[in-house]
Amino acid sequence: MPAQGSCTVIVGCQWGDEGKGKIVDVLAEGVDIVARYQGGANAGHTVHVGDSQFVLHQIPSGILHAGKRCLLGNGVVLDIRQFFEEYDALVARGIDIEGRVGVSLRAQLLMPYHRMLDKAAEDSASTKIGTTGRGIGPAYEDKAGRRGVRVADLANPQRLEKLIEAAKEKVCDRLDQLGAGATSELDAAMDEALALGDRLLVLATDTGPEISAALRDGKRVLLEGAQGTALDLDHGTYPFVTSSNTTAGGAATGTGIGPTLIDAVVGVVKAYTTRVGEGPLPSAFEPEMDEHVRALGGEFGATTGRPRRCGWFDSVLSRHAAQVNGLTGLAVTKLDVLDTLSELQIVTAYRMPDGSVTHSFPADTWSLAGVEPVFETLPGWESPTGHVRHLKDLPANARVYLDRLEELTGADVQWISVGTKRSQIIPVD
Ligand code: GDP
């Protein structure tokens, strides 16, 4: 019998930081469960509620809505210490969180040694990936190498000890090779993390059966992606990617539900493009414009504070995202950031180094560094949009711009965000 509820995936369609946190926060109002399906504490969603700002790294932003259940799926790598720091900070700020957070028994634990390895490996790498140094890559390597520690292991102290001893031995060898010997700090950090194991087990659940049962009961579910399509391990700009599947397919494997339970996939795009970390950005602005838009959009990483590189909207990438995620709709964020520009450009194609023009996103990341973007120029609207709540009230040129994004991407715009506040959203019927 088909599920009665509804299940929507929210996925970033650029290089992350698209404002997914805001869109999830807005949509969470109408759902019962919000679940994260991949990534770790490298993701940082910033959500503004009233005058308060919340930066959430691991707990889904649905937590800011009373009564919603928030899950971390098996696809997530969980840093226990940081998770409880975030959990306790929410409690301290008066969020009633009791009984609302669940963590998959199958989720991998991100250990202090993963952080040490991440930093040491990035420091010594000849090709820098631009990692956040939070241990995400090494934790996923251990998962794929079948030597990871999962939440379920916390319930079996003997097995846990064996797993950790084996992992530490390997880590110490690797750190020695990288010239960054392990220290007594590692033992202290491990003790601190593992001391929280029992507390975590209280929150443990099997997310696949829980979500599937909720859908059968008619509940509504949001599956929240972290990072973006261009950072997907398989479909992004490899190797400048994260270590998990950020795209919509990852929502099924990363929570344990069947893909046929997913009803809709909403892609979040910024009205322009940003990228943090290393790797090519074909639609990059010239330096002066880069600085200007970075300041207008506050484009600095929520987790690391790193300045983000900025560029024009890239429809070659958004078309790729529409295809790989099977988008059923788009949420365009930060339209207001472009309010003062007199002219806007959109990348419609790439001219390859051999002179040919492509409308498809190349699989060979290295070729991206040599592409020349083909631009289309549109007039700006040069008036504020932050107060607009209905599509008909947007300036005509803003609508022309959005229509063109929609047309070039091949997915309907369903939501337009025009500011950081919850209320600054335009639903499109
Ligand atoms: P996420 O990881 O995709 O959730 O994105 P981030 O949280 O890193 O970045 C989004 C930032 O943009 C946050 O500070 C949001 O408050 C802000 N933001 C989201 N939507 C809008 C919008 O429509 N306009 C403006 N000006 N800021 C927005």
Side-chain angles (χ1 to χ4, degrees), residues 17-22 44-46 48 308 333-334 336-337 417-420:
D17 312 315
E18 297 93 346
K20 295 174 296 295
K22 151 99 190 243
H45 295 315
T46 312
H48 296 263
R308 297 172 183 149
T333 63
K334 295 195 141 182
D336 55 297
V337 172
S417 175
V418 288
T420 57

Side-chain angles (χ1 to χ4, degrees), residues 12 16-23 43-48 53 224-227 268 270 272 296-303 308 332-337 416-421 424:
D17 312 315
E18 297 93 346
K20 295 174 296 295
K22 151 99 190 243
I23 298 299
H45 295 315
T46 312
V47 182
H48 296 263
Q53 174 176 306
E224 170 181 350
Q227 292 99 26
V268 185
K270 244 177 238 189
Y272 50 100
L296 286 173
E299 296 296 352
F300 298 89
T303 304
R308 297 172 183 149
V332 180
T333 63
K334 295 195 141 182
L335 187 73
D336 55 297
V337 172
I416 303 157
S417 175
V418 288
T420 57
K421 297 206 180 85
Q424 290 178 298

Side-chain angles (χ1 to χ4, degrees), residues 17 36-46 55-60 72-73 75-87 107-111 114-115 118 131-140 224-227 242-244 276 301-306:
D17 312 315
R36 275 275 304 269
Y37 59 84
Q38 43 71 231
N42 51 346
H45 295 315
T46 312
V55 179
L56 297 161
H57 295 288
Q58 298 191 93
I59 299 179
L72 280 85
V76 160
V77 288
L78 186 112
D79 182 328
I80 313 186
R81 214 190 55 172
Q82 189 159 6
F83 170 81
F84 279 115
E85 266 173 31
E86 196 168 315
Y87 188 103
Q108 296 279 322
L109 294 178
L110 186 147
M111 294 291 187
H114 291 129
R115 278 174 179 260
D118 202 7
T131 78
T132 51
R134 304 208 165 206
I136 313 295
Y140 278 113
E224 170 181 350
Q227 292 99 26
T242 196
S243 302
S244 59
V276 73
T303 304
T304 59
R306 287 186 286 184

Side-chain angles (χ1 to χ4, degrees), residues 228-288:
T229 299
L231 294 172
D232 182 278
L233 183 57
D234 290 84
H235 303 289
T237 48
Y238 190 91
F240 305 104
V241 290
T242 196
S243 302
S244 59
N245 285 118
T246 58
T247 44
T253 53
T255 53
I257 64 163
T260 47
L261 291 184
I262 296 172
D263 303 288
V265 181
V266 176
V268 185
V269 288
K270 244 177 238 189
Y272 50 100
T273 309
T274 61
R275 167 156 212 184
V276 73
E278 306 295 323
L281 174 62
S283 68
F285 291 132
E286 294 298 322
E288 202 175 312

Side-chain angles (χ1 to χ4, degrees), residues 5 53 142 200 237 259 312 388:
Q53 174 176 306
D142 277 357
L200 191 69
T237 48
W312 298 111
V388 177

